[in-house]
Amino acid sequence: MKRTAIINANLFTPQGSAAFRGEEMGRLLHIGGAQIEVADGAIEYVGPSRALPDACDVIDAGGAAVLPGFVDSHTHLVFGGMRPQEFMWRMRGDSYMSIMERGGGIASTTKATREASFSHLRDKALGYVEKMRQMGVTTIEAKSGYGLDRETEIRQMEVAASLGPGVVSTFLGAHALPAEYAGRADEYIDFLIAEMLPAAKPLAANCDIFCEKGVFSIEQSCRLLLAARDMGFGAKIHADEIVCTGGAELAAEIGALSADHLLHVSEAGIKALADSPTVATLLPITAFALKEEYAPARSLIDAGAAVALASDFNPGSCFSYSVPLMIALACIHMGMSIEEVISALTINGAAALGMADSIGSVEVGKKADIIILDTDDINMLPYHTGINLVKRTLLHTDL
């Protein structure tokens, strides 16, 4: 058995196996001079300094702040091609939907992804994973959704599965309506239910859909997600991003793991999320890149909802996985405290993936996914704006 002890840790962590909600998000356990003992990747002691176990490796945190590993619970990690020209079109004022209508957007990446080999997609995604690890991300959700056909969707999920521990696949076949199904959205949902959900089940834990005006309706989203839930998938939904469609209310009604984006969530949607276990996953870098108003984090938290933060890393609307930028935007523009941000990036991100029983906090019985900062003060995370303060990222598979 391999044993590791992390000593002299200024530990800040949520606790428990469920999302933190409302005021709870601002309350972290703090232990100065903490010791964390790990056996074969699992945490077996968290508390004050004590005599070290025999024959253990020692990592001295030197008084630095120690946190649970960050969970990026919404990314589109595996894709072919790039879209820098579209970024410049948006800078001149072209809307996201107008770019999609001229063949850009998801359709452009779908073409490139269908043409890309497994090895090309894997090498590209692995490079992103390595850089995300440097910013403290120990668990990454990787959505499919750039194939929109059986072969490529499966290839995307197989790539995600090959990236090693901490990369979790979500099936997003309902990311857009492929050209070959133009005008036949209901038939495409039928195809996803009959053929793709069974094919995706061995590869993905969760199923997602882009519920949006001009993409998939509330009724279509409900039909797919209920079928996925009946097959054992967790349900997730891109909700109320561009216009308010009632996606948040649907997520709460069906018990989805998360409702994501929520830039245009209604008051009724906020209340529904506050009254349900569904996590409100907010994606501030996307709003920043699209020059949109930020999702109402303060209203959601004050209402009692569970809020997570994630990058939405993708080749179109948000070509960034910068945790430091995410933290800065959440604190400066969305009114979140640093304690709330840490909860959002750890236990609530884990809950948004259905994994809060095993990751998202530093406590006995959980996987030892842990980060050591280059400071003893968590307030430095937003204060040293946009700068990566993660000194060391520890994955449970290495301990």
Side-chain angles (χ1 to χ4, degrees):
M1 177 179 288
K2 182 177 181 181
R3 292 188 176 274
T4 306
I6 302 169
I7 63 172
N8 298 322
N10 192 24
L11 177 66
F12 297 85
T13 181
Q15 289 191 297
S17 58
F20 273 24
R21 317 189 66 81
E23 292 181 359
E24 186 180 28
M25 288 184 62
R27 297 196 291 266
L28 301 177
L29 173 68
H30 175 217
I31 305 176
Q35 185 163 308
I36 304 160
E37 297 172 15
V38 180
D40 286 343
I43 299 170
E44 60 176 18
Y45 173 79
V46 179
S49 178
R50 68 179 190 178
L52 291 171
D54 293 335
C56 74
D57 297 329
V58 176
I59 297 172
D60 190 344
V66 171
L67 309 175
F70 295 138
V71 179
D72 194 339
S73 61
H74 184 130
T75 89
H76 303 259
L77 180 69
V78 181
F79 59 86
M82 298 287 189
R83 286 151 49 191
Q85 184 59 57
E86 290 182 22
F87 181 84
M88 302 314 299
W89 289 342
R90 288 202 309 276
M91 293 307 98
R92 75 183 188 191
D94 294 11
S95 72
Y96 179 78
M97 295 305 289
S98 73
I99 291 170
M100 284 185 67
E101 287 165 2
R102 74 180 83 161
I106 293 167
S108 173
T109 299
T110 297
K111 182 177 184 297
T113 306
R114 287 180 176 183
E115 294 171 352
S117 67
F118 178 95
S119 60
H120 174 80
L121 292 173
R122 185 182 188 279
D123 288 348
K124 189 175 178 182
L126 191 57
Y128 299 138
V129 169
E130 291 170 352
K131 292 175 182 176
M132 295 168 81
R133 297 277 190 242
Q134 294 170 14
M135 289 184 279
V137 179
T138 53
T139 301
I140 305 164
E141 186 233 33
K143 300 182 190 293
S144 68
Y146 289 129
L148 310 182
D149 62 8
R150 183 184 179 92
E151 179 185 352
T152 317
E153 288 290 311
I154 290 173
R155 187 186 313 137
Q156 282 189 272
M157 289 183 282
E158 288 177 340
V159 166
S162 77
L163 296 173
V167 178
V168 180
S169 187
T170 290
F171 173 58
L172 181 56
H175 197 193
L177 189 63
E180 53 267 35
Y181 277 89
R184 298 185 294 134
D186 285 328
E187 291 181 38
Y188 184 61
I189 296 294
D190 291 340
F191 161 72
L192 295 178
I193 292 172
E195 297 191 34
M196 289 308 303
L197 288 179
K201 191 65 183 75
L203 295 167
N206 303 314
C207 177
D208 197 348
I209 188 168
F210 190 7
C211 179
E212 187 59 66
K213 181 181 178 181
V215 191
F216 296 106
S217 68
I218 286 286
E219 293 75 17
Q220 290 160 346
S221 300
C222 185
R223 189 155 64 91
L224 176 65
L225 293 179
L226 288 179
R229 192 182 67 182
D230 289 345
M231 290 185 60
F233 289 91
K236 299 171 72 68
I237 182 169
H238 284 55
D240 303 324
E241 177 185 7
I242 300 171
V243 298
C244 181
T245 63
E249 292 93 321
L250 173 62
E253 179 184 343
I254 67 172
L257 290 172
S258 70
D260 300 23
H261 283 291
L262 301 174
L263 275 65
H264 297 281
V265 64
S266 67
E267 289 297 324
I270 291 173
K271 185 178 187 307
L273 292 171
D275 292 340
S276 79
T278 300
V279 176
T281 300
L282 311 184
L283 313 169
I285 312 178
T286 305
F288 173 76
L290 294 176
K291 296 191 287 188
E292 297 283 351
E293 292 293 323
Y294 294 94
R298 195 72 266 147
S299 295
L300 284 157
I301 295 170
D302 291 345
V307 168
L309 292 168
S311 71
D312 192 25
F313 173 57
N314 72 78
S317 60
C318 183
F319 192 57
S320 175
Y321 39 73
S322 173
V323 174
L325 176 58
M326 195 191 321
I327 291 172
L329 294 175
C331 289
I332 296 169
H333 290 287
M334 298 169 70
M336 296 177 68
S337 70
I338 187 56
E339 291 83 4
E340 290 169 340
V341 167
I342 290 170
S343 294
L345 277 169
T346 56
I347 192 69
N348 287 7
L353 296 176
M355 300 176 67
D357 59 340
S358 61
I359 62 170
S361 59
V362 178
E363 57 187 312
V364 173
K366 289 202 174 182
K367 295 178 181 178
D369 291 337
I370 296 168
I371 57 178
I372 302 173
L373 302 186
D374 194 20
T375 175
D376 63 352
D377 185 356
I378 57 173
N379 293 299
M380 288 294 291
L381 288 165
Y383 172 64
H384 202 17
T385 310
I387 303 301
N388 182 23
L389 295 181
V390 174
K391 182 177 183 180
R392 188 168 181 183
T393 302
L394 303 170
L395 295 178
H396 69 275
T397 49
D398 298 328
L399 298 177

